[in-house]
Amino acid sequence: MGPRRHEQDVNEPYSMSTPAISPSPRLGRDDAIDVVRGLCVLSMVLTHLSSGSTVWRIVHFQPWVDGASGFVLMSGLVLGMVHGRTARANGVAALRTRRLKRTALLYVAHIAIVGLAIVDGFLAHLDGLPDRGPESLSRLIFWTLTLQVNPGNVDMLSMYVVLLLSTAVSAPLLAARRGVLVLVLSALVYTAGSVSTHGALPNRPYGDAFFDVACWQFLFTGAYVLGWRWQTVVAVLRGPRALSAAIVTGTLVAAIAVLLPNDGVQEVVFGKAECGPGRIVLAWCAFVVLYQCARTAVSRAPAAVRAVRIIGSRSLACFIALCLANLVLPLAIGEDPTTVAAQIAGIGVALAMYPVALARGRVGRGLSALRDDLTSRRQTLPDQPVPPAGVTEPDGRSRTS
């Protein structure tokens, strides 16, 4: 049996008209997208826990393509699919409740993780985490509640809160067929973020967070627009011309990255903090190639990619688990990500993402069943008769008209 409808709204946001690649009739879900998301999650696990190590270099032989870029791109793409389908079916106003619920979930998750980071910083004095200092506890709490505490490796959730809220502007414009305007506005924000130092969220008390949200929103928004129009572009993305263009373009841009002098120019074009234009191009090229490879794998060997697909289908739960691992593991193995212990931890956490995703699925199905049961009971309760006016009720009160 496929997942229930409301569970799909959170974790399976794909157009009902998009045929499933695998024979599984799971409400038309595109399994290849989940495989790509799963690969992004696994990439981030190794980057967060063992960046610069031998294991990390083997997986990230192309340093300008990583899970963070893919995660933001896929988040925008999937969200665009959800919002586009909902807007076409029920109008753009129907997105408000969905957006608020999702934003609240991400906000609460971020606050909880930052709270743990503050405790870690107080107890273990880990690098980059809030430590004992002149700041009062009340000030730290205020900063946390206003998204001003964003330690490294756990700051993507706060960025995603902002990106999700940005769809309040994009969605009505897309519904009015103003997609070009959305991209132009996003490009203007990207340009402003690139030439200024005010595009990142703060990371109190140390300055700014790593990610420049004003720049990263361009990758997210472009994917959001594509997801909104997924039904009209998916055939092109699955075609051989798109694959050839992605391979050729990606190869040329990667060659440029290698040839650029590492004196600041390379950072401007391919930098991660400000999501350089070269990184954006490579992210899109990688998406097309991985998406088509995933389609082939899902159709020919679905069992081989099943675990990665399931991880991708529960990518938010897996990312939250990764954030927790980022805060807990350094207490045991230290903060150097290149040690043997860090590499073993990275591989172990990557493998642990599969049971995390399975557990999240079981919890979701349990909550879904509970909600359906409560709804069913409300609908089957007999209507209670209303005593006529003047009749005394059991508590001695008299009902009057």
Side-chain angles (χ1 to χ4, degrees):
M1 178 181 296
R4 301 178 189 273
R5 178 61 181 271
H6 79 267
E7 186 180 350
Q8 183 200 19
D9 288 343
V10 176
N11 296 298
E12 301 188 350
Y14 309 125
S15 171
M16 296 294 289
S17 64
T18 303
I21 303 168
S22 69
S24 172
R26 297 181 304 118
L27 297 177
R29 185 177 185 122
D30 191 338
D31 288 344
I33 288 182
D34 282 338
V35 172
V36 177
R37 289 206 297 178
L39 292 173
C40 292
V41 170
L42 296 177
S43 169
M44 287 192 294
V45 169
L46 295 180
T47 299
H48 286 196
L49 298 178
S50 54
S51 178
S53 68
T54 302
V55 170
W56 179 84
R57 293 182 186 280
I58 291 174
V59 176
H60 298 85
F61 59 91
Q62 169 54 268
W64 303 284
V65 178
D66 60 11
S69 302
F71 193 76
V72 172
L73 188 155
M74 297 302 296
S75 296
L77 181 72
V78 171
L79 199 63
M81 292 179 185
V82 174
H83 287 186
R85 183 188 67 200
T86 302
R88 284 186 291 270
N90 305 309
V92 71
L95 298 177
R96 294 170 186 166
T97 301
R98 181 190 298 274
R99 185 186 300 116
L100 289 175
K101 287 182 178 179
R102 190 68 167 177
T103 303
L105 173 64
L106 293 170
Y107 175 80
V108 171
H110 175 74
I111 296 304
I113 291 171
V114 169
L116 179 59
I118 292 175
V119 173
D120 263 12
F122 280 8
L123 296 180
H125 310 287
L126 296 179
D127 185 36
L129 298 184
D131 203 343
R132 291 185 183 276
E135 294 79 20
S136 64
L137 181 60
S138 60
R139 178 172 293 183
L140 279 176
I141 292 174
F142 172 76
W143 285 343
T144 300
L145 295 177
T146 54
L147 301 181
Q148 295 188 67
V149 180
N150 294 283
N153 290 338
V154 300
D155 54 344
M156 185 171 283
L157 284 177
S158 60
M159 179 174 71
Y160 195 33
V161 168
V162 177
L163 296 178
L164 188 56
L165 291 176
S166 73
T167 64
V169 176
S170 302
L173 292 175
L174 288 172
R177 300 182 182 277
R178 305 293 186 189
V180 174
L181 178 58
V182 172
L183 294 177
V184 170
L185 292 175
S186 179
L188 291 175
V189 174
Y190 177 81
T191 303
S194 299
V195 300
S196 73
T197 58
H198 304 293
L201 291 172
N203 180 27
R204 307 285 186 182
Y206 301 117
D208 292 332
F210 176 79
F211 291 104
D212 191 314
V213 182
C215 294
W216 278 83
Q217 61 77 32
F218 189 52
L219 177 61
F220 174 88
T221 302
Y224 183 77
V225 173
L226 183 71
W228 190 285
R229 303 188 59 189
W230 184 251
Q231 295 179 1
T232 62
V233 301
V234 63
V236 176
L237 290 175
R238 293 173 177 175
R241 291 185 179 180
L243 180 61
S244 299
I247 293 174
V248 172
T249 304
T251 301
L252 290 176
V253 174
I256 293 174
V258 173
L259 296 175
L260 280 178
N262 192 15
D263 59 357
V265 177
Q266 188 184 80
E267 179 64 23
V268 171
V269 180
F270 294 94
K272 184 171 182 176
E274 296 184 347
C275 199
R279 177 176 289 270
I280 293 176
V281 172
L282 288 176
W284 279 109
C285 292
F287 164 68
V288 173
V289 173
L290 290 175
Y291 177 60
Q292 293 213 21
C293 290
R295 278 176 50 82
T296 301
V298 168
S299 62
R300 297 183 180 180
V305 293
R306 179 178 180 272
V308 178
R309 172 180 63 76
I310 292 176
I311 291 172
S313 71
R314 310 295 178 182
S315 57
L316 177 58
C318 290
F319 181 75
I320 292 174
L322 170 60
C323 291
L324 296 176
N326 281 325
L327 297 174
V328 173
L329 284 177
L331 300 175
I333 63 175
E335 299 179 74
D336 186 353
T338 63
T339 63
V340 174
Q343 295 180 69
I344 294 174
I347 295 173
V349 172
L351 294 175
M353 290 296 103
Y354 179 57
V356 167
L358 290 178
R360 167 60 182 85
R362 293 191 188 99
V363 171
R365 288 190 294 272
L367 293 175
S368 176
L370 178 61
R371 180 182 300 179
D372 289 349
D373 181 61
L374 292 176
T375 302
S376 176
R377 291 189 179 188
R378 291 195 198 101
Q379 293 173 347
T380 56
L381 283 175
D383 294 334
Q384 298 296 325
V386 179
V391 175
T392 301
E393 297 194 13
D395 60 1
R397 293 178 301 162
S398 177
R399 179 182 295 274
T400 58
S401 57

